[in-house]
Amino acid sequence: MIEKNAIVNSLDTMWVGRQIVCFEQTDSTNTQGKILVQNGAEHGTLIIADQQTAGKGRLGRTWVSPSGESIYMTLILKPDISVENVSMLTLVAAMAVVKAVEQLQITTDCMIKWPNDIVVNKKKVCGILTEMTTEQNQIQSVLIGIGINANTTEFAEEIREIATSFYKETGCQVNRETLIAEVMNQFEKYYDIFSRTQDMSALADDYNGKLVHFGQMVYLNDGNERKCVKALGIDERGALLVEDEQGSTQAVISGEISIRGIYGYV
Ligand code: BTN
């Protein structure tokens, strides 16, 4: 079980995680987030589960969520931003995870695979699913769902090649409560910077410094078309700038196109 008090003791925030809802088991923290929003949950409320029975991944995938070893959490935001800016909050969350891992000295090899997968040794250690609720065509809430493979020892056959955990990569157990709190501490700091400009202009350099394929050749997957391009880093809108073989630059929007490394997942 996750110890709420241990999280609170390591929190250094004004508003993020000041309300925490902990479940021993739930369907999905994102689903619970939507229910809490309907019941008036505050900006910054954090929902955590030790186990999820219907964990959701991106693109309708399942996020396998056994008990006792990983982190499943959703942060409820009620930002005053337009719909086009919401995807940037996912990038902000990815930066918070990487910075927290660095701060706690879990590993120095924690990087971002654009837009929002966190990788260690070129394998995925964390995924982020951002969902939104609306009310009369306005954003009511943004739910940032973060799944971190902290101490996972075994992965299903289908994902074994691309997934890993901090424990598998370092041989050290991660204290889940400390990591949850530090991700929240970092998120508040980055969110405040983001809020000032409502874009990634003040954060892009930091983000690009953590991009695992910065300056490298990657495949752009656009439906059934695959193109080999050089990844140049994100712009102030959070789009990935890529250069094709003819030398022309294109800004790729997350959600429309995915990227793959030339030799595999990264
Ligand atoms: C991905 O596919 O990479 C995103 C995975 C997101 C998983 C997290 S776990 C906590 C939250 N609740 C969910 O059901 N999904 C997200």
Side-chain angles (χ1 to χ4, degrees):
M1 187 57 196
I2 305 255
E3 286 297 326
K4 188 167 153 178
N5 283 346
I7 299 171
V8 173
N9 288 341
S10 300
L11 268 184
D12 183 22
T13 57
M14 297 288 286
W15 57 272
V16 171
R18 286 290 145 201
Q19 299 290 327
I20 299 179
V21 179
C22 261
F23 292 96
E24 205 162 320
Q25 186 195 74
T26 192
D27 45 3
S28 150
T29 53
N30 273 28
T31 305
Q32 290 303 315
K34 288 179 194 166
I35 296 170
L36 286 170
V37 166
Q38 297 318 321
N39 293 331
E42 281 175 24
H43 181 55
T45 301
L46 178 64
I47 305 143
I48 304 167
D50 183 51
Q51 184 183 12
Q52 296 184 123
T53 53
K56 298 185 283 185
R58 288 177 71 216
L59 309 171
R61 296 191 187 114
T62 299
W63 189 259
V64 178
S65 313
S67 76
E69 43 188 32
S70 290
I71 293 171
Y72 317 112
M73 60 183 177
T74 298
L75 182 61
I76 297 177
L77 301 174
K78 296 185 158 178
D80 190 13
I81 59 174
S82 55
V83 175
E84 313 86 77
N85 293 347
V86 167
S87 64
M88 286 186 268
L89 290 174
T90 320
L91 308 189
V92 173
M95 291 180 73
V97 173
V98 169
K99 191 70 186 177
V101 169
E102 208 170 272
Q103 195 70 21
L104 297 173
Q105 302 185 339
I106 294 172
T107 168
T108 51
D109 178 39
C110 192
M111 307 288 278
I112 301 169
K113 173 179 179 280
W114 181 86
N116 48 29
D117 283 355
I118 312 296
V119 297
V120 176
N121 283 332
K122 302 197 170 179
K123 286 184 166 188
K124 179 163 169 172
V125 79
C126 165
I128 302 174
L129 173 69
T130 297
E131 297 183 283
M132 208 169 61
T133 65
T134 54
E135 201 177 38
Q136 288 156 3
N137 285 334
Q138 303 268 48
I139 295 177
Q140 180 193 31
S141 74
V142 175
L143 302 149
I144 313 263
I146 305 178
I148 306 178
N149 304 329
N151 301 315
T152 322
T153 48
E154 276 303 317
F155 290 95
E157 180 80 49
E158 323 80 80
I159 56 170
R160 210 164 282 161
E161 287 299 305
I162 60 160
T164 193
S165 67
F166 289 118
Y167 177 70
K168 275 186 90 122
E169 295 305 313
T170 65
C172 296
Q173 290 274 335
V174 168
N175 181 303
R176 290 185 294 170
E177 288 85 355
T178 315
L179 181 53
I180 291 169
E182 193 55 31
V183 172
M184 294 303 114
N185 293 342
Q186 296 298 335
F187 184 85
E188 184 172 289
K189 205 181 67 193
Y190 284 128
Y191 182 89
D192 287 346
I193 299 173
F194 166 83
S195 299
R196 273 178 232 142
T197 52
Q198 306 252 328
D199 67 19
M200 296 298 288
S201 52
L203 294 169
D205 284 351
D206 250 16
Y207 182 97
N208 288 334
K210 290 292 167 195
L211 209 49
V212 70
H213 32 59
F214 187 80
Q216 289 178 14
M217 300 305 290
V218 293
Y219 284 126
L220 270 191
N221 294 321
D222 182 3
N224 35 25
E225 211 186 294
R226 193 170 83 161
K227 202 158 106 180
C228 193
V229 294
K230 188 177 183 180
L232 302 177
I234 61 160
D235 65 10
E236 72 287 349
R237 309 284 316 144
L240 183 70
L241 299 173
V242 298
E243 187 182 271
D244 66 17
E245 276 150 356
Q246 288 72 45
S248 58
T249 303
Q250 178 194 347
V252 178
I253 313 283
S254 78
E256 290 174 6
I257 291 185
S258 69
I259 59 166
R260 278 269 162 170
I262 302 288
Y263 300 109
Y265 169 64
V266 169

